[in-house]
Amino acid sequence: MSRNRTVITPQGNSVSKALRELFQNPDLLWTFTYRDIRVRYAQTYLGLAWSLIQPLFGLAAVFVLFFKIAGVQTGEIPYLSFALSGLIFWNYFSYVVTQSSASLVNVQTMIKKIYFPRLALPIGKSFVGLIDFGVALLLLFIVNLVLGQPLAGLLFFPLILLLTALTAVGIGMIISSVSLRYRDLQQIIPFALQLLFFITPVAYPQALLSSVIPDEWSWLVYFNPITGFLELFRGLLYGGEISPLVWISVVSAVIIFVAGVLFFIRTDKKMADHI
Amino acid sequence: MKDIAVHIEKLSKQYEIKTQGRHQTFKALDSVSLKVERGKILGIIGSNGAGKSTLLKILSRITYPTSGRVSIEGRLASLLEVGTGFHSELSGRENIFLNGSILGMSRQEIRAKFDDIVEFSGIEKFIDTPVKHYSSGMYVRLAFSVAANLTPEILIIDEVLAVGDAQFQEKCLRKMDEAKSAEGRTILFVSHNMTAINHLCDEVVWLQEGKIKQIGEAREITRNYLRDMQQISQEVELRERKDRKGTGEAILTRLEWLSPQKGTLISGQPATLKIDYYSAHLDTLGNIRCVFNVFKGEQEFVVSLNNDMSGHALHQVPGTGSLYCHFEHLPFMHGEYTVTCNLFVNGLRSDRVEQAFRFKVAKGDYYHSGYQSTENRPGIYIEQQWDATPPAY
């Protein structure tokens, strides 16, 4: 009879062991995701409709602010198609960062009482966000259909979504474990995301951002991965130039994710003591 | 060769405690070594703060040791506190899956056991009701049923049986018994319920201040533990003690600590020692002198409580009555003490009882400085002033 042996030492879990445990029981990820989705819509009248209302309001807000008031120009692409193609990823990013950052603090009692692969908590949030993303993607499909904009490029969404998820979960993993000790971080997230929203070309074209930065420094904007991903997606969807510097964004995303996983596992063994 | 399921080697856990910028360390577990054979039920007992929870937390990998090593053969699941990992908005059915997954089971395994779990819990009717509408009893039943029916090879149980009705408790105990004999499951069971411990456990380990005080056959260890617990109390009847010296004119009958915290003595907090005495022949006693010598352990003198020495002469008191020794701020440090009592009447020793009383003082902030000794170190706090000014003398 083969038995799994667990050895507990002061060093805690190794990275390989932590990852193996997570994948040995993929049902845990699924269960957490299911729980969050169920809880989110429990006792709401509108239920799933909220997933539609949120991007609609967001779209209306940027339409008034950026298009009507600020007079942002998006060339041949109708503003609604342009903004929505950015918002669907931004909303997903913002949701996953917020949720995964709070994923440990919100279940402190559980962390103090039971062992389970804790990586499942922040990672699970990236699946929860998929429902909202799916609804928003459908909205973009409808808007583009109505406005006669290209649809084929929408099929590239899994690539951009994956890259966005890696970035968001990577950030979430770091913030969630640090904020067990320093709760202040939880207060900073909304501001930080708001600030990031304004310096990311979600509701305005990237040319506008580049125009305020000296040419020789323009590559810096790609260190914000979302900037690169949106350029990539819009390029694939609506045509137009995709800078080779987008690679910087892809590499940043991977680095953020790997750093997040390593950091999370390193701090994992002290989590219960810090609560 | 014995089949060892859990092997604990020199396990220690030290916590850093930060009080007002000062770092202190506290040893919750101090070099504990232990082997648990497969298929056995090990009981873990000890007073609060003895390290039971820390040990279980390390075994269930919630926290990691500071030093030492544990090796566990087989899948381990812990039922530490009922309802952990339950979500109140979800139904009983959904929570079975949620809880089971957190305990490390796959959905397939849970599905296979589902009917057993529901039947065992006895709440079939409410299985699709959100658990927030459950009574606490139902909650416990469901939570225990999940853990008891899922089949880890090693199960850790901490005090869950304390809740729930007697009938269900009985059922759980039976289930644990069955699991042990039929499935060869190893169980580590923490409880304050000595009857349950005696009934279930093959072996018992008694922890005290992070160390193993005794380990052995259940009945023997629980008996020793209970005896020890009774000796440390806030009150003691002395009437029946035969090993006393003195004229016997008046004797001490009872000692009791009174405190605003109802029985707990805390350093720096108010406390009063109430001394009941009795005289068979005299209506009044003249010139009473109480000399209560306080020892740490059984030998080492700490301080003397003496009404004469402290200038509180008691010239005339009733023949039978009570005396009180008041402390505005109890100066005893965190630890255990024994008291040897002497009662003098008119200069003659009337009664003496050695090691009459054992009491325990909990840590407290005697100086209101935010400093609390975390160590168990019997002693006395004394008044002291510090500054950079030389004295006038």
Side-chain angles (χ1 to χ4, degrees):
Chain A
M1 183 168 142
S2 75
R3 288 190 179 119
N4 39 355
R5 157 188 268 210
T6 311
V7 176
I8 301 166
T9 60
Q11 283 75 42
N13 255 354
S14 67
V15 173
S16 62
K17 174 119 208 245
L19 292 175
R20 201 163 57 237
E21 277 180 356
L22 181 66
F23 293 117
Q24 259 167 7
N25 188 4
D27 289 351
L28 182 65
L29 261 179
W30 157 244
T31 311
F32 278 147
T33 309
Y34 175 80
R35 175 196 67 179
D36 288 341
I37 293 171
R38 273 281 284 120
V39 169
R40 185 158 169 210
Y41 296 111
Q43 289 198 354
T44 58
Y45 282 108
L46 295 178
L48 197 63
W50 282 112
S51 296
L52 188 62
I53 294 168
Q54 279 162 0
L56 274 177
F57 269 88
L59 188 61
V62 296
F63 181 74
V64 173
L65 282 174
F66 286 87
F67 188 65
K68 287 290 183 195
I69 298 177
V72 164
Q73 292 303 313
T74 51
E76 291 165 9
I77 310 165
Y79 184 76
L80 285 181
S81 290
F82 177 88
L84 193 56
S85 68
L87 272 178
I88 62 170
F89 291 105
W90 174 262
N91 286 347
Y92 175 78
F93 173 78
S94 157
Y95 178 85
V96 175
V97 167
T98 311
Q99 293 292 315
S100 60
S101 296
S103 63
L104 295 181
V105 174
N106 286 347
V107 293
Q108 291 174 46
T109 5
M110 212 163 90
I111 292 174
K112 272 196 295 190
K113 307 280 182 196
I114 295 187
Y115 175 80
F116 54 92
R118 272 107 181 215
L119 270 174
L121 285 169
I123 293 178
K125 303 296 178 188
S126 67
F127 295 106
V128 182
L130 291 180
I131 293 206
D132 283 359
F133 178 81
V135 173
L137 186 69
L138 195 67
L139 185 66
L140 176 62
F141 176 80
I142 294 166
V143 166
N144 279 8
L145 193 69
V146 171
L147 297 177
Q149 289 301 304
L151 298 169
L154 288 176
L155 290 175
F156 286 107
F157 86 86
L159 173 69
I160 312 298
L161 184 65
L162 177 71
L163 289 168
T164 310
L166 288 181
T167 317
V169 172
I171 295 171
M173 283 189 288
I174 294 171
I175 296 178
S176 62
S177 56
V178 176
S179 64
L180 275 184
R181 258 196 128 157
Y182 305 100
R183 302 289 151 85
D184 318 49
L185 269 177
Q186 292 295 312
Q187 309 291 329
I188 298 170
I189 294 167
F191 298 119
L193 279 172
Q194 208 165 29
L195 186 71
L196 194 63
F197 175 77
F198 288 113
I199 60 167
T200 305
V202 179
Y204 57 85
Q206 197 187 317
L208 211 61
L209 185 66
S210 304
S211 66
V212 296
I213 298 172
D215 276 352
E216 63 269 34
W217 296 105
S218 64
W219 50 275
L220 272 176
V221 300
Y222 291 98
F223 279 101
N224 170 4
I226 307 302
T227 301
F229 302 158
L230 292 187
E231 180 175 331
L232 185 61
F233 185 61
R234 283 171 177 149
L236 292 167
L237 181 59
Y238 302 119
E241 196 189 346
I242 300 172
S243 158
L245 293 175
V246 163
W247 276 111
I248 296 178
S249 296
V250 175
V251 171
S252 313
V254 172
I255 289 174
I256 289 171
F257 181 75
V258 172
V261 172
L262 294 180
F263 184 79
F264 192 91
I265 293 171
R266 252 182 68 92
T267 51
D268 186 31
K269 67 166 183 160
K270 286 190 175 163
M271 279 177 190
D273 296 345
H274 286 164
I275 290 172
Chain B
M1 200 182 107
K2 283 178 184 170
D3 191 4
I4 303 295
V6 181
H7 189 180
I8 301 168
E9 293 164 89
K10 291 193 175 152
L11 199 66
S12 296
K13 173 76 179 179
Q14 206 163 310
Y15 283 104
E16 299 255 333
I17 296 168
K18 208 174 165 186
T19 34
Q20 300 208 334
R22 258 184 300 263
H23 279 282
Q24 291 182 45
T25 54
F26 164 69
K27 273 193 176 168
L29 272 188
D30 192 358
S31 199
V32 168
S33 296
L34 191 62
K35 280 181 191 169
V36 190
E37 271 178 65
R38 183 162 308 283
K40 297 274 178 183
I41 299 191
L42 176 78
I44 302 172
I45 58 175
S47 51
N48 293 330
K52 304 185 300 281
S53 309
T54 307
L55 179 61
L56 293 199
K57 274 185 175 176
I58 293 175
L59 291 180
S60 46
R61 299 169 67 202
I62 292 161
T63 185
Y64 286 83
T66 314
S67 65
R69 185 188 139 99
V70 182
S71 132
I72 297 167
E73 301 282 344
R75 190 154 69 170
L76 179 144
S78 53
L79 187 61
L80 291 175
E81 196 167 292
V82 165
T84 312
F86 268 43
H87 201 290
S88 57
E89 296 283 350
L90 302 183
S91 70
R93 179 188 305 275
E94 291 165 323
N95 269 309
I96 290 177
F97 280 94
L98 177 61
N99 203 236
S101 300
I102 294 170
L103 291 171
M105 313 290 154
S106 71
R107 293 184 74 80
Q108 202 189 340
E109 281 174 277
I110 301 167
R111 221 171 279 129
K113 289 269 177 182
F114 189 83
D115 292 338
D116 288 345
I117 296 172
V118 177
E119 199 201 316
F120 186 81
S121 68
I123 51 162
E124 292 93 334
K125 269 192 272 177
F126 306 100
I127 199 65
D128 288 308
T129 310
V131 297
K132 64 180 172 183
H133 299 306
Y134 281 23
S135 70
S136 56
M138 289 160 70
Y139 220 81
V140 176
R141 283 156 171 269
L142 189 63
F144 188 86
S145 308
V146 177
N149 283 287
L150 299 171
T151 49
E153 286 131 286
I154 302 157
L155 182 65
I156 290 183
I157 302 181
D158 187 2
E159 284 296 345
V160 269
L161 296 179
V163 255
D165 53 84
Q167 212 186 341
F168 186 70
Q169 280 189 21
E170 181 58 39
K171 203 170 161 185
C172 293
L173 294 180
R174 248 198 333 268
K175 178 84 190 173
M176 282 172 64
D177 242 4
E178 273 171 37
K180 173 191 153 194
S181 46
E183 298 159 36
R185 190 186 301 178
T186 314
I187 298 176
L188 278 76
F189 178 44
V190 167
S191 180
H192 287 290
N193 179 347
M194 293 302 142
T195 321
I197 292 263
N198 276 334
H199 176 70
L200 284 171
C201 301
D202 303 295
E203 203 178 24
V204 169
V205 51
W206 168 12
L207 291 179
Q208 194 176 54
E209 285 158 17
K211 292 187 171 120
I212 294 181
K213 170 116 177 180
Q214 284 184 5
I215 181 164
E217 191 262 324
R219 266 167 218 290
E220 190 192 329
I221 305 296
T222 51
R223 197 169 48 234
N224 295 346
Y225 173 71
L226 286 176
R227 192 185 300 139
D228 193 70
M229 292 304 287
Q230 275 158 6
Q231 280 172 0
I232 300 176
S233 58
Q234 305 314 124
E235 54 181 274
V236 64
E237 295 288 343
L238 291 176
R239 223 179 299 257
E240 307 300 323
R241 288 279 291 259
K242 297 281 178 266
D243 52 336
R244 47 208 323 159
K245 291 172 185 160
T247 63
E249 232 181 337
I251 59 162
L252 300 160
T253 52
R254 191 170 180 277
L255 301 175
E256 182 184 3
W257 277 107
L258 307 173
S259 70
Q261 305 86 19
K262 295 264 179 284
T264 318
L265 296 174
I266 301 172
S267 304
Q269 296 296 314
T272 296
L273 181 61
K274 178 172 182 264
I275 302 142
D276 294 347
Y277 64 92
Y278 164 82
S279 174
H281 311 294
L282 302 171
D283 293 335
T284 55
L285 300 175
N287 281 325
I288 285 231
R289 182 151 61 99
C290 281
V291 181
F292 283 26
N293 292 325
V294 181
F295 295 84
K296 110 187 191 189
E298 274 155 13
Q299 300 294 326
E300 223 174 315
F301 176 78
V302 176
V303 73
S304 186
L305 309 176
N306 183 330
N307 67 298
D308 242 18
M309 178 178 81
S310 60
H312 302 87
L314 297 162
H315 291 304
Q316 196 92 7
V317 291
T320 299
S322 302
L323 300 170
Y324 297 89
C325 179
H326 300 281
F327 298 91
E328 213 174 312
H329 304 288
L330 190 70
F332 294 109
M333 296 170 81
H334 176 41
E336 279 175 33
Y337 301 87
T338 57
V339 185
T340 289
C341 309
N342 299 279
L343 180 69
F344 295 85
V345 179
N346 281 323
L348 290 176
R349 182 150 72 199
S350 171
D351 194 19
R352 172 180 170 88
V353 186
E354 282 183 31
Q355 293 174 19
F357 191 17
R358 280 176 72 183
F359 65 93
K360 197 172 188 172
V361 177
K363 60 176 178 274
D365 186 4
Y366 179 82
Y367 297 109
H368 301 287
S369 61
Y371 179 86
Q372 291 192 1
S373 167
T374 50
E375 259 176 273
N376 186 340
R377 189 200 277 153
I380 293 284
Y381 288 109
I382 58 170
E383 287 309 319
Q384 45 193 295
Q385 272 89 43
W386 288 81
D387 55 31
T389 324
Y393 43 86

